[in-house]
Amino acid sequence: MARNTNPSELRAAILDEARECLIAEGYLSLSMRKIARAVGCTATSIYLYFQDKDDLLHALINEGMERLHNQLLGSLDGVQDPVQRCHKLCRSYLEFALENRQYYEVMFLLHPAHMKRYPKELYRRARRNLDLFADALAAVKGRPGSEEKEDLRSAHVIWAQIHGAVSLHHSQRLDVNIDVLGFMDAVVDNAVGHLLCKQDEAS
Amino acid sequence: MARNTNPSELRAAILDEARECLIAEGYLSLSMRKIARAVGCTATSIYLYFQDKDDLLHALINEGMERLHNQLLGSLDGVQDPVQRCHKLCRSYLEFALENRQYYEVMFLLHPAHMKRYPKELYRRARRNLDLFADALAAVKGRPGSEEKEDLRSAHVIWAQIHGAVSLHHSQRLDVNIDVLGFMDAVVDNAVGHLLCKQDEAS
Amino acid sequence: MARNTNPSELRAAILDEARECLIAEGYLSLSMRKIARAVGCTATSIYLYFQDKDDLLHALINEGMERLHNQLLGSLDGVQDPVQRCHKLCRSYLEFALENRQYYEVMFLLHPAHMKRYPKELYRRARRNLDLFADALAAVKGRPGSEEKEDLRSAHVIWAQIHGAVSLHHSQRLDVNIDVLGFMDAVVDNAVGHLLCKQDEAS
Amino acid sequence: MARNTNPSELRAAILDEARECLIAEGYLSLSMRKIARAVGCTATSIYLYFQDKDDLLHALINEGMERLHNQLLGSLDGVQDPVQRCHKLCRSYLEFALENRQYYEVMFLLHPAHMKRYPKELYRRARRNLDLFADALAAVKGRPGSEEKEDLRSAHVIWAQIHGAVSLHHSQRLDVNIDVLGFMDAVVDNAVGHLLCKQDEAS
DNA sequence: CATGAATGAGCTTTCATTCAT
DNA sequence: CATGAATGAAAGCTCATTCAT
């Protein structure tokens, strides 16, 4: 495992293990040494591929964003109805968040003070996930891409709704009397349902 | 500053500084030594007032919950209309969250794995804040206190919406093109508006 | 428990608790704070009765020496035969050692570097325990008190034999295949038996 | 001294200093920091060579056991007479103990509660030292290796005798009027002499 | 006689990072 | 491309002790 033929294989291995560590033990226990031990190389070697811990984290986040993007795209496969598409996106995002807790936390929750600023070019790619939501919303309203600002804001509102539910769940702030699955259903309904409601009003 | 005239002044000062440290660097870098340095006492002294780090955090959370409760209660003063009351609660909660990021993070974001279990009796007091929302919702539906479970869930949905918005903002995940205040308005509208919408349907 | 009527009751209580702590958790965990907590007074109060931790330890050792002395004396009650008396002393010492492990360690094992020099006047009292052995040995040889040096040395030899057995047992260095009780019997036999053996030779 | 030419020099230096610290202040005050300071490296560096404090202690014990073993073996060189061999072993052990108090304490006095369990494979090597005694005793009785249990016990009795003398000396519990060398002679005589005495009886 | 407040030094251990090779 | 050695800072916490009251 230690000696790889392909030179960039090690980089991949490091990312893999870092992800595993992250998912298994959380950000707090994510240490260069542990990753190195798991990969089978020295801690120093990691610095050959990543400037520092933050750089590694950024790569990790980026990877997560790609995965999320693919999952979101996949969820839209063959779905035509605009409202349905919104629904699918929410569901898909929710699933990703619930299945990748620690990952999700680094991606969307980690306090900026603990990380260097996320680089612009990476951010641009990450933004595509939000755009999926915005586009879907625009489609619902029948005007593809126009009035971007409003769609972007609406996307943020929906995002906030789901993100809030996820993060309350992750940090175990939900009351014990709440049935989690039912709650999540209600959350998605509220996020998307409101849209229709608003639309009905408009029409 | 070391020797305070008032005996419990130091305790208050520690709590204050702990809050400051939290806002400045987040939970992960909250250290007893840093707090002590900021306060102007030794780390050991902190242990005179708090059993350990977790105890200090619990005190912080509790303090925040009390403040929030008072603020929420205050916001309802003289407001009769049930829907208006919901609106007020949301606004008030939002204001608190935005103005007290330092508190807010420990109160609602800090992962339990990083902290001893929050003591039951403190939790019971904290729960009152959620109850305010649930009660207001019940009032909207015209059936005071009945169907508690559904009201509790609805309260959670609203809470998730606002909490999500706040936490995205705090962790600086909101797109730069988003006008924060406008976004927050939209969030509250969505949280409460949906209620009405649903009610209209029902009627 | 905290407020005693008799002023010197507290001193006694401190010693009692210190002994308990010592027996229960060993020297390493013996802390002024713990003792104070157990007694129900503040750590500061201990300093009213004992100059410092070493002073307290000395008092503790002294107490132990007195107890041992009484136990040794008691064991001789009604026993006339000189050799029997030697035997009884050994047995009695052994019992004390086995039943008061942590106590015993402080009395006879604690590294001098961890304690101020044991005060002369206390030492003199402690010496009486050895004297009991030396006197008994002298009696065996039929010459009461004469040739003190040789008797003192012999007493030390016997003492070393038993102390060695006890201390190997306490620090769990005895092989698992050794039956402890049988071993201790053999040890006492060896300590005393040799005496007789030597005497037989002499006669 | 920080950067050593020979890579494993530091490891040796650490062990050396640890031993020195032990003799100077005893186990209780043995601290990684102190060792590091004495060696001239940082405390962190110690962790490059030893997993933790216990690991360091185990290494120290092991080293001591090996040395003792070699010394015991050496003392038997060319000695044929069984009783003489017993005598030599005792003398040799005694010399080791007196000349290596630093080792000796960790090896035979340190309470297990203060240390991780001594690893089995190391213990097996350490046991060889006791076996030397047991074998020598069996030889005296003319039955090589048989009746192991009894020989093992006798070995323990002798061991206890010498160990007791040594440990009283180390912890400075011997009376000032005792001539140490003479005392030690008497101790060895007692340990071995008794054997012969017993044997004479038997014959 | 007794306390409450405070200190400073100490502990073991982990961390991200660097540098010479 | 990769390593082994080393560092300095920091963490949470406990300790014996002092001092003013």
Side-chain angles (χ1 to χ4, degrees):
Chain A
M1 197 184 304
R3 315 277 161 147
N4 298 286
T5 47
N6 188 321
S8 77
E9 252 175 45
L10 183 52
R11 199 194 124 98
I14 291 171
L15 271 178
D16 281 350
E17 283 304 334
R19 204 185 323 115
E20 295 291 325
C21 284
L22 193 64
I23 290 170
E25 314 192 51
Y27 171 77
L28 265 187
S29 321
L30 187 68
S31 95
M32 302 302 256
R33 289 261 259 270
K34 270 187 199 162
I35 297 172
R37 213 178 302 138
V39 172
C41 69
T42 58
T44 320
S45 297
I46 302 182
Y47 288 87
L48 294 174
Y49 298 97
F50 303 93
Q51 269 197 330
D52 52 21
K53 202 185 176 186
D54 286 335
D55 194 28
L56 173 56
L57 275 177
H58 288 162
L60 222 47
I61 294 179
N62 188 44
E63 216 191 50
M65 290 297 185
E66 297 291 324
R67 289 183 176 221
L68 174 56
H69 193 65
N70 290 334
Q71 186 159 327
L72 291 180
L73 275 185
S75 77
L76 294 180
D77 255 9
V79 184
Q80 304 297 345
D81 177 57
V83 173
Q84 269 291 317
R85 289 173 69 91
C86 287
H87 219 96
K88 285 285 183 188
L89 282 178
C90 289
R91 277 270 153 224
S92 183
Y93 183 99
L94 191 58
E95 276 165 24
F96 180 89
L98 294 180
E99 285 167 11
N100 302 277
R101 182 162 81 80
Q102 310 269 20
Y103 217 169
Y104 187 86
E105 282 187 10
V106 183
M107 288 167 68
F108 296 115
L109 225 47
L110 189 54
H111 196 290
H114 296 312
M115 213 175 26
K116 276 187 200 156
R117 187 103 196 114
Y118 197 59
K120 261 186 196 162
E121 86 264 17
L122 291 189
Y123 176 70
R124 222 166 292 139
R125 294 184 64 82
R127 249 296 296 271
R128 293 180 310 162
N129 288 325
L130 251 185
D131 290 338
L132 283 181
F133 281 86
D135 291 349
L137 286 175
V140 168
K141 297 190 198 148
R143 39 173 167 73
S146 70
E147 302 207 46
E148 295 177 5
K149 281 245 166 160
E150 202 191 306
D151 294 331
L152 184 61
R153 176 197 284 173
S154 294
H156 271 83
V157 172
I158 290 186
W159 181 26
Q161 171 75 76
I162 301 177
H163 171 74
V166 165
S167 108
L168 285 179
H169 176 57
H170 282 171
S171 49
Q172 296 180 19
R173 272 5 184 241
L174 295 181
D175 194 272
V176 278
N177 294 317
I178 290 290
D179 164 59
V180 177
L181 292 185
F183 168 64
M184 291 299 175
D185 285 343
V187 160
V188 172
D189 280 350
N190 191 45
V192 182
H194 181 240
L195 265 182
L196 307 178
C197 179
K198 225 171 169 180
Q199 194 166 3
D200 291 349
E201 282 177 34
S203 61
Chain B
M1 197 183 299
R3 310 258 167 171
N4 293 288
T5 47
N6 188 323
S8 72
E9 247 173 51
L10 184 52
R11 199 192 123 99
I14 290 171
L15 276 177
D16 284 346
E17 281 305 333
R19 231 180 300 120
E20 296 295 323
C21 284
L22 264 181
I23 184 185
E25 321 193 43
Y27 167 75
L28 292 182
S29 351
L30 184 67
S31 99
M32 302 302 255
R33 302 254 255 258
K34 270 185 201 163
I35 297 172
R37 214 177 301 139
V39 172
C41 69
T42 58
T44 317
S45 294
I46 301 183
Y47 288 88
L48 291 174
Y49 299 96
F50 304 94
Q51 274 199 328
D52 52 21
K53 201 184 174 185
D54 287 333
D55 193 30
L56 172 56
L57 282 176
H58 289 164
L60 222 46
I61 295 179
N62 190 45
E63 218 188 54
M65 290 295 184
E66 297 292 324
R67 290 192 184 202
L68 174 56
H69 193 65
N70 291 334
Q71 187 160 326
L72 290 180
L73 276 184
S75 77
L76 294 179
D77 256 8
V79 183
Q80 304 295 346
D81 177 57
V83 173
Q84 269 291 315
R85 288 172 71 91
C86 288
H87 218 95
K88 285 284 184 189
L89 282 178
C90 289
R91 277 268 151 227
S92 183
Y93 183 99
L94 191 58
E95 274 164 26
F96 178 88
L98 295 180
E99 285 166 12
N100 301 277
R101 180 172 129 188
Q102 58 271 48
Y103 275 130
Y104 196 82
E105 281 202 8
V106 226
M107 289 167 67
F108 297 117
L109 224 47
L110 187 51
H111 196 283
H114 307 325
M115 206 174 36
K116 269 188 206 156
R117 185 110 197 109
Y118 196 61
K120 256 187 197 162
E121 86 262 19
L122 291 189
Y123 175 71
R124 220 167 293 139
R125 294 186 66 80
R127 248 299 294 268
R128 295 178 309 162
N129 289 325
L130 246 188
D131 290 338
L132 284 182
F133 279 87
D135 290 349
L137 284 176
V140 167
K141 299 194 196 142
R143 40 173 168 73
S146 70
E147 304 208 44
E148 296 177 5
K149 279 247 168 159
E150 203 192 303
D151 293 331
L152 185 61
R153 177 197 283 174
S154 296
H156 271 83
V157 172
I158 290 187
W159 181 25
Q161 170 75 77
I162 302 178
H163 170 71
V166 165
S167 100
L168 287 178
H169 177 57
H170 281 171
S171 47
Q172 299 179 18
R173 261 38 172 215
L174 293 182
D175 193 273
V176 277
N177 293 317
I178 290 291
D179 166 58
V180 177
L181 293 185
F183 168 63
M184 292 298 175
D185 284 345
V187 161
V188 172
D189 280 350
N190 192 45
V192 182
H194 181 242
L195 266 182
L196 306 179
C197 178
K198 225 168 168 179
Q199 193 165 4
D200 290 349
E201 283 174 35
S203 63
Chain C
M1 194 184 306
R3 316 277 161 148
N4 299 284
T5 47
N6 188 322
S8 78
E9 250 175 47
L10 183 51
R11 198 194 124 99
I14 291 171
L15 270 179
D16 281 349
E17 283 304 335
R19 205 184 323 115
E20 296 291 326
C21 284
L22 193 64
I23 290 171
E25 314 191 50
Y27 171 77
L28 264 187
S29 324
L30 187 68
S31 96
M32 302 300 256
R33 289 261 258 271
K34 268 187 201 163
I35 297 171
R37 213 177 302 139
V39 172
C41 69
T42 59
T44 320
S45 296
I46 301 183
Y47 287 88
L48 294 173
Y49 299 96
F50 304 93
Q51 269 198 331
D52 50 21
K53 201 187 177 186
D54 287 334
D55 195 28
L56 173 56
L57 275 177
H58 289 162
L60 222 46
I61 293 179
N62 189 46
E63 214 191 52
M65 291 297 184
E66 297 291 324
R67 289 184 176 220
L68 175 56
H69 193 65
N70 290 334
Q71 186 160 324
L72 291 179
L73 275 183
S75 77
L76 294 179
D77 256 8
V79 183
Q80 304 296 344
D81 177 56
V83 172
Q84 270 290 316
R85 289 172 69 91
C86 287
H87 219 95
K88 286 284 185 190
L89 283 178
C90 289
R91 278 269 152 227
S92 184
Y93 183 99
L94 192 56
E95 275 164 25
F96 180 90
L98 294 180
E99 284 166 11
N100 302 277
R101 183 164 81 80
Q102 310 269 23
Y103 217 168
Y104 186 86
E105 282 187 11
V106 183
M107 287 166 69
F108 296 115
L109 225 48
L110 190 52
H111 197 289
H114 295 311
M115 214 175 25
K116 274 187 202 159
R117 186 104 196 114
Y118 197 59
K120 262 187 195 162
E121 86 265 16
L122 290 188
Y123 176 70
R124 221 167 292 139
R125 294 185 64 81
R127 248 296 297 269
R128 294 179 311 162
N129 288 326
L130 250 185
D131 291 337
L132 283 181
F133 280 85
D135 291 348
L137 285 175
V140 167
K141 298 193 197 144
R143 41 174 165 71
S146 70
E147 302 207 46
E148 295 177 4
K149 280 246 165 157
E150 203 192 306
D151 294 332
L152 184 60
R153 177 197 285 174
S154 294
H156 271 83
V157 172
I158 291 186
W159 181 27
Q161 171 74 77
I162 302 178
H163 171 73
V166 165
S167 107
L168 286 179
H169 176 58
H170 281 171
S171 48
Q172 297 180 18
R173 271 5 182 241
L174 295 181
D175 193 273
V176 277
N177 294 315
I178 291 289
D179 165 60
V180 177
L181 292 185
F183 167 66
M184 291 298 176
D185 284 345
V187 160
V188 172
D189 281 350
N190 191 45
V192 182
H194 181 241
L195 267 182
L196 308 177
C197 178
K198 225 170 169 178
Q199 194 165 3
D200 290 349
E201 282 174 36
S203 63
Chain D
M1 197 183 298
R3 307 260 167 169
N4 293 287
T5 47
N6 188 322
S8 72
E9 247 173 50
L10 184 52
R11 200 192 124 99
I14 291 171
L15 276 177
D16 285 346
E17 281 306 334
R19 232 180 298 123
E20 296 295 324
C21 284
L22 265 181
I23 185 185
E25 320 193 43
Y27 167 74
L28 293 183
S29 352
L30 183 67
S31 99
M32 302 302 254
R33 301 249 260 254
K34 270 185 200 163
I35 297 172
R37 215 178 301 137
V39 171
C41 68
T42 58
T44 318
S45 294
I46 302 183
Y47 288 87
L48 291 176
Y49 299 96
F50 305 94
Q51 275 199 327
D52 52 22
K53 201 183 175 185
D54 287 333
D55 193 31
L56 172 55
L57 282 176
H58 289 163
L60 221 46
I61 295 179
N62 189 45
E63 217 187 54
M65 290 295 184
E66 297 292 323
R67 290 192 183 203
L68 173 56
H69 193 64
N70 290 335
Q71 187 159 327
L72 290 180
L73 275 183
S75 77
L76 293 179
D77 256 7
V79 183
Q80 303 296 344
D81 178 56
V83 173
Q84 270 291 316
R85 289 172 70 91
C86 289
H87 218 95
K88 285 287 185 188
L89 282 178
C90 290
R91 276 272 151 223
S92 183
Y93 183 100
L94 191 57
E95 276 164 24
F96 178 89
L98 294 180
E99 285 166 10
N100 301 278
R101 179 171 130 189
Q102 58 273 48
Y103 275 130
Y104 196 83
E105 281 202 9
V106 228
M107 288 167 67
F108 298 116
L109 225 48
L110 186 52
H111 197 284
H114 306 326
M115 205 174 36
K116 269 189 206 155
R117 186 107 195 111
Y118 195 60
K120 258 188 198 163
E121 86 263 17
L122 291 189
Y123 176 70
R124 221 168 292 139
R125 294 187 65 81
R127 246 299 295 267
R128 295 178 310 162
N129 290 324
L130 246 186
D131 291 337
L132 284 181
F133 279 86
D135 291 348
L137 285 176
V140 166
K141 300 192 196 146
R143 39 173 168 73
S146 70
E147 304 207 45
E148 297 177 4
K149 279 245 165 157
E150 203 193 305
D151 294 331
L152 185 61
R153 178 198 282 174
S154 296
H156 271 84
V157 172
I158 291 187
W159 181 26
Q161 170 74 77
I162 303 178
H163 170 73
V166 166
S167 102
L168 286 179
H169 176 58
H170 281 171
S171 48
Q172 299 180 16
R173 261 42 171 213
L174 294 181
D175 194 272
V176 278
N177 293 317
I178 290 290
D179 164 59
V180 177
L181 291 185
F183 167 64
M184 291 300 174
D185 283 346
V187 160
V188 172
D189 280 350
N190 191 45
V192 182
H194 181 242
L195 263 185
L196 307 178
C197 178
K198 225 171 169 179
Q199 194 166 3
D200 291 348
E201 282 175 35
S203 61

